[in-house]
Amino acid sequence: MASDIKVGTMAGSKPIWFVKKGELEGAGLDSAGLAWAKANGFDGQAARVLVVPGENGDVAGALFGIGKDDIRLVAGKLASALPKGDWHIASPVGEPDLTALAFLLGGYKFTRYTKKDDAEVTLSTPKGADETDVRRLAKAVTLARDLINTPTNDMGPVALEAAVRNVAEEHTATLSVIKGDDLLKKNFPMIHAVGRAGSQEPRLIDLAWGKKNAPKVTLVGKGVCFDTGGLDIKPSSGMLLMKKDMGGAANVLALAGLIMDARLPVRLRVLIPAVENSISANAFRPGDILTSRKGLTVEIGNTDAEGRLILADALALADDDEPEILIDMATLTGAARVALGPDLPPFYTNDDGLASEVAASAYAVADPVWRMPLWQPYDARLSSRVADLNNVTSDGFAGSITAALFLQRFVGKAKVWAHFDIFGWNPVEKPHAPIGGEAQAIRALYHLLKERYPSK
């Protein structure tokens, strides 16, 4: 990261004045600073930084525009726009935790294959911010971003397992892995079918942490480390971002790290089916009929709808444990992006209480999501003449909804279940995030779980 925060006002640190659009006069500047701002056309424009010179030509401080609308993570821009040095916020801060977090997230850089930058811009932690939790959140988002940004040659199923193992060891969690033909012996046939054509064996990664008698919280993440589309091959343009098709796995692992680091009183389980949807002589085919772990038979209408197949086997295992909360996250459908765009992941649940909690938590931490309906009349579109169901519909309508309905077929014992159809990627730069891999919905879910299961 190119930014950091520190408790207390650092000696010699320079002030930053936050200015709402149209409220320059009330920013607390002296006459010289006010004149400088006006001469440079500064009027609180969102994410604009204007350095204010001192009497000797040194930097006296900086003005930061926060706009007129509620852009709650706009402070992330400070990490990349401020000159090198130590800074403190001289203006009142309404949401200190979000301001500090945005600053840290805005300093993120993916440097695995390039020169690493040392922290250059340091901000005094805004008064009232919980620095421990802010750093915890920044660490989790960084993990998710790093995993998604890493190309598949360095983030295949083996490397993804290693990443989970690192997190497990950090928090003294237990880890078990079923891979290769053992998936067939242990009754995970759809995970095996999707991943058997890859150069690395498909696997089911199973992490457990917490007291066995605590409320059960289970997270399932889609770990397709690369998706060619299989025999229903994608065009080259459709493969360019497919390293991110394990974004669900990256996000649930990051969320698991948050839960364990905060020591929430839950029995946590994380299930990640890790595969590569490749093309080879033994690749599964359109028209194949697979028998799932649950016993339902699935006709393959399209090999490019593989994520729901591996999730189905993992969800069936998770559901057998009858968790209090079961959450799955997946970069599952392009239809979700058509409906809501890249920044607003849809989520699905039949539990209105859980939906309300998710919505409230998402707003509280500026981590937007939007509830979409599990519209039961569409379930019939997954019908097959030769199997219990098809993995796709024939008309292509409501693709995100029908994918969620497919997954719902494999859940029945969990007290509540929610499915998040995330994008896991920022296609354009934001104040708090560069273009690239992104954590979505995990800050909201962490807030929800903290509210439900507060640490003692």
Side-chain angles (χ1 to χ4, degrees):
M1 285 218 176
S3 59
D4 197 7
I5 56 174
K6 290 184 179 179
V7 175
T9 302
M10 295 167 284
S13 66
K14 298 176 177 62
I16 308 166
W17 294 278
F18 280 20
V19 183
K20 285 188 176 182
K21 185 166 177 59
E23 298 183 14
L24 179 62
E25 301 286 347
L29 296 173
D30 59 23
S31 57
L34 191 61
W36 175 256
K38 289 181 177 179
N40 284 275
F42 180 90
D43 190 30
Q45 299 93 330
R48 183 180 174 189
V49 173
L50 178 66
V51 174
V52 178
E55 293 182 359
N56 299 321
D58 296 330
V59 174
L63 298 174
F64 181 58
I66 58 175
K68 191 174 183 179
D69 299 323
D70 189 17
I71 309 174
R72 299 165 69 195
L73 295 174
V74 70
K77 186 66 177 179
L78 292 169
S80 60
L82 285 173
K84 179 179 179 179
D86 299 333
W87 297 83
H88 67 272
I89 299 172
S91 311
V93 177
E95 295 183 299
D97 283 350
L98 282 181
T99 299
L101 177 62
F103 179 77
L104 288 179
L105 298 185
Y108 172 84
K109 293 182 179 180
F110 182 62
T111 58
R112 177 166 177 169
Y113 303 95
T114 58
K115 182 181 178 182
K116 292 179 172 60
D117 292 329
D118 295 328
E120 295 182 349
V121 181
T122 304
L123 181 71
S124 296
T125 306
K127 186 177 180 180
D130 182 345
E131 184 177 3
T132 299
D133 211 43
V134 167
R135 287 191 180 279
R136 180 181 293 137
L137 285 160
K139 178 181 177 182
V141 173
T142 296
L143 173 62
R145 288 175 174 178
D146 280 350
L147 292 175
I148 296 169
N149 283 328
T150 303
T152 308
N153 58 305
D154 286 324
M155 190 49 63
V158 172
L160 183 54
E161 177 190 331
V164 179
R165 196 172 296 280
N166 288 339
V167 173
E169 290 175 354
E170 180 182 355
H171 299 287
T172 321
T174 61
L175 189 73
S176 62
V177 180
I178 304 169
K179 60 185 177 181
D181 288 344
D182 284 344
L183 289 165
L184 296 175
K185 297 175 184 177
K186 299 290 186 179
N187 193 24
F188 298 99
M190 295 206 294
I191 298 174
H192 182 272
V194 171
R196 69 193 182 205
S199 60
Q200 297 179 9
E201 290 180 310
R203 61 204 65 211
L204 178 63
I205 306 164
D206 188 346
L207 177 151
W209 174 90
K211 295 181 179 178
K212 292 185 178 180
N213 61 349
K216 296 176 182 177
V217 174
T218 301
L219 312 176
V220 178
K222 173 186 169 185
V224 177
C225 295
F226 194 83
D227 182 16
T228 65
L231 292 175
D232 288 310
I233 190 170
K234 296 177 184 287
S236 59
S237 60
M239 288 192 216
L240 287 176
L241 287 182
M242 282 302 100
K243 67 177 183 179
K244 78 171 186 68
D245 214 19
M246 40 64 71
N251 272 271
V252 298
L253 183 59
L255 176 56
L258 284 169
I259 293 167
M260 292 187 288
D261 195 63
R263 304 202 65 78
L264 299 188
V266 299
R267 176 62 174 174
L268 175 67
R269 190 178 193 184
V270 180
L271 294 169
I272 296 175
V275 303
E276 186 174 346
N277 188 19
S278 297
I279 298 172
S280 185
N282 65 339
F284 75 119
R285 297 163 289 264
D288 282 357
I289 297 176
L290 307 179
T291 301
S292 68
R293 177 180 181 82
K294 189 173 181 177
L296 294 173
T297 55
V298 181
E299 181 184 6
I300 303 304
N302 193 305
T303 62
D304 197 18
E306 83 299 329
R308 65 198 68 183
L309 300 175
I310 66 171
L311 286 173
D313 273 358
L315 283 170
L317 174 64
D319 195 53
D320 284 342
D321 211 22
E322 300 183 14
E324 189 164 306
I325 298 180
L326 173 56
I327 293 167
D328 78 75
M329 306 186 80
T331 51
L332 204 60
T333 69
R337 314 290 80 80
V338 174
L340 297 177
D343 302 337
L344 188 59
F347 75 98
Y348 298 83
T349 181
N350 268 336
D351 190 279
D352 292 340
L354 178 64
S356 295
E357 288 181 75
V358 171
S361 292
Y363 179 78
V365 299
D367 192 11
V369 295
W370 195 264
R371 188 185 187 185
M372 294 273 277
L374 286 162
W375 185 246
Q376 290 304 317
Y378 288 165
D379 187 73
R381 299 183 181 185
L382 292 166
S383 63
S384 166
R385 292 190 304 247
V386 292
D388 292 322
L389 70 165
N390 202 299
N391 74 327
V392 293
T393 63
S394 59
D395 58 19
F397 292 138
S400 183
I401 294 174
T402 54
L405 289 168
F406 180 93
L407 297 179
Q408 188 183 36
R409 295 278 194 105
F410 299 86
V411 178
K413 300 174 186 176
K415 186 174 180 181
V416 294
W417 163 70
H419 160 61
F420 289 77
D421 191 345
I422 65 171
F423 191 48
W425 190 265
N426 292 313
V428 297
E429 184 178 333
K430 302 174 186 176
H432 67 285
I435 293 172
E438 186 59 295
Q440 291 184 312
I442 65 169
R443 292 189 295 109
L445 289 169
Y446 172 59
H447 182 273
L448 182 156
L449 293 169
K450 281 200 304 178
E451 293 288 307
R452 277 204 176 200
Y453 311 110
S455 298
K456 298 176 182 179

